[in-house]
Amino acid sequence: MAVPIAVLDCDLLLYGRGHRTLDRFKLEDVTDEYLVSTYGFPRQFIYYLVKLLGTSLSRPTQRSRAISPETQILAALGFYTSGSFQTRMGDAMGISQASMSRCVANVTEALVERASQFIHFPKDEATVQRLKDDFYGLAGMPGVLGVVDCTHVAIKAPNAEDLSYVNRKGLHSLNCLMVCDARGALLSAETHWPGSLTDCTVLQKAALKSQFETELHKDGWLLGDSSFFLQTWLMTPLHIPETPAEYRYNMAHSATHNVIERTFRTIRSRFRCLDGSKGTLQYSPEKSSHIILACCVLHNISLEHGLDVWSSPATGHMEQPEEEYEQMESMDSEACRIRQELLLTHFS
């Protein structure tokens, strides 16, 4: 009697469902419209990322059919821009949800490793002057090197005992301190601060503060809102303007500072994993911080590639905690003198 022999797919046994099709997904086989709708970015931008990150993502492996850098980048972009590990996306690329998660981790770390390459203040005098000129062109505020503010990103609770990440709304979050230029490109991004810290406290602890106090304070200043204290390198609005010059100063300050709010909206709209509409980031604070920073790097790279159209506000569920400002005059007499001189020289 003949015994039937089952013909097994060894590739399926070794690598799991869908791995057989891994080498069949090619960028050139799909339209630009599909890439933008599914992964958030056009073909040439994705090719650039493959070239930029390929070495980091082509790590030695014992598996003869490791996931290609191209596929890893598509998986990560799909998560960043949609906020979820969609089965449809994994099936299209021939990888499992677990593999997609590993791809996101690999691409995130590769982007974080390059953060200083894409997020930094200019150093040469010509670029610094161009930065000031761009800001001055917005509303007539002179000497501005950047606008600074904080934004919260929701994360899962680290553990029941750790309340340091609970913000004023009772949600777990990271409070991210960022600075941008007049175009919305990020010049600084510190994404690791616990959500319980106020914006003012974050700035006091931040590397940004020491950077300006030791290096950049002579070149100009940042603009910050009333959640920060006036400093020689940080101009804040007047709490109760009284003279026409003070009103003009506040109006110019507000119009210029609004760039950072538009930048936050653009980042949350482009990278839906940050906007709360798909729930919180389901990672530890450290990994969540890296994902946020990776999105910041991609934001700047996208601006370099001309993808700089201001996006409409995101519709996520993550509400930004409202700070309760303790309005009081700065005790820094030199900072008060600099702001008063600015009022007299440029707004009187």
Side-chain angles (χ1 to χ4, degrees):
M1 179 179 179
V3 179
I5 299 176
V7 179
L8 300 178
D9 187 331
C10 294
D11 190 65
L12 183 60
L13 286 175
L14 287 173
Y15 301 112
R17 179 185 66 82
H19 197 92
R20 291 172 298 167
T21 64
L22 186 60
D23 57 351
R24 296 181 186 175
F25 184 89
K26 302 294 182 182
L27 278 175
E28 55 268 24
D29 293 339
V30 295
T31 64
D32 278 315
E33 290 75 13
Y34 173 82
L35 291 173
V36 172
S37 64
T38 307
Y39 306 106
F41 292 96
R43 189 185 317 274
Q44 291 306 315
F45 182 87
I46 296 171
Y47 280 142
Y48 172 81
L49 292 181
V50 172
K51 182 178 180 181
L52 176 70
L53 307 178
T55 302
S56 298
L57 300 177
S58 299
R59 296 185 174 92
T61 175
Q62 294 181 355
R63 287 172 54 168
S64 60
R65 304 187 70 187
I67 300 176
S68 68
E70 182 179 284
T71 302
Q72 292 184 62
I73 288 168
L74 289 173
L77 291 179
F79 169 71
Y80 297 147
T81 58
S82 72
S84 64
F85 296 116
Q86 299 179 17
T87 302
R88 174 179 60 84
M89 194 180 302
D91 286 345
M93 293 184 294
I95 61 175
S96 66
Q97 181 172 319
S99 293
M100 284 195 66
S101 181
R102 287 192 294 272
C103 291
V104 171
N106 292 341
V107 174
T108 296
E109 292 311 305
L111 287 168
V112 168
E113 289 171 1
R114 292 161 176 79
S116 61
Q117 177 182 346
F118 294 99
I119 302 175
H120 57 80
F121 284 92
K123 294 183 179 180
D124 62 281
E125 292 185 8
T127 309
V128 170
Q129 186 58 51
R130 188 160 59 249
L131 183 65
K132 293 178 183 179
D133 292 343
D134 289 344
F135 274 118
Y136 188 80
L138 294 179
M141 181 69 76
V144 180
L145 296 175
V147 289
V148 59
D149 208 347
C150 289
T151 187
H152 286 254
V153 176
I155 62 172
K156 73 172 183 179
N159 57 62
E161 292 75 28
D162 191 350
L163 300 179
S164 64
Y165 293 92
V166 179
N167 60 40
R168 295 186 61 85
K169 297 290 187 180
L171 304 172
H172 290 81
S173 68
L174 290 168
N175 195 2
C176 305
L177 178 73
M178 300 187 193
V179 179
C180 75
D181 66 14
R183 192 165 57 104
L186 296 172
L187 304 172
S188 177
E190 299 184 35
T191 60
H192 61 283
W193 297 104
S196 65
L197 297 181
T198 64
D199 294 359
C200 184
T201 301
V202 167
L203 183 59
Q204 289 301 310
K205 294 174 176 288
L208 177 69
K209 180 175 184 287
S210 61
Q211 183 180 12
F212 263 81
E213 289 182 341
T214 59
E215 301 174 30
L216 299 173
H217 68 286
K218 295 180 181 179
D219 294 325
W221 42 71
L222 299 177
L223 295 189
D225 62 19
S226 297
S227 61
F228 303 112
F229 286 112
L230 180 71
Q231 315 248 5
T232 56
W233 48 270
L234 177 65
M235 294 293 103
T236 59
L238 291 136
H239 177 39
I240 304 177
E242 296 177 346
T243 67
E246 290 176 345
Y247 275 103
R248 284 192 288 270
Y249 167 85
N250 269 14
M251 290 178 64
H253 188 293
S254 177
T256 308
H257 188 267
N258 184 55
V259 173
I260 190 73
E261 297 301 329
R262 295 170 69 192
T263 300
F264 287 157
R265 289 197 298 269
T266 297
I267 292 173
R268 288 195 295 267
S269 178
R270 177 171 282 160
F271 303 106
R272 303 307 293 269
C273 68
L274 307 182
D275 76 354
S277 63
K278 300 293 184 179
T280 62
L281 285 174
Q282 296 298 302
Y283 298 91
S284 67
E286 180 182 8
K287 289 184 178 180
S288 295
S289 170
H290 285 184
I291 288 173
I292 300 167
L293 184 56
C295 290
C296 291
V297 173
L298 286 172
H299 169 75
N300 274 14
I301 296 175
S302 69
L303 292 179
E304 288 186 6
H305 283 73
L307 306 176
D308 56 356
V309 177
W310 291 106
S311 300
S312 57
T315 57
H317 302 145
M318 177 58 182
E319 296 183 25
Q320 301 301 303
E322 297 178 4
E323 296 283 356
E324 291 185 2
Y325 307 142
E326 183 180 358
Q327 298 286 1
M328 55 187 297
E329 288 301 316
S330 171
M331 300 303 291
D332 189 332
S333 59
E334 178 64 11
C336 292
R337 184 195 67 77
I338 290 174
R339 186 169 66 180
Q340 189 62 30
E341 182 178 324
L342 183 60
L343 282 163
L344 294 174
T345 305
H346 293 278
F347 296 97
S348 293

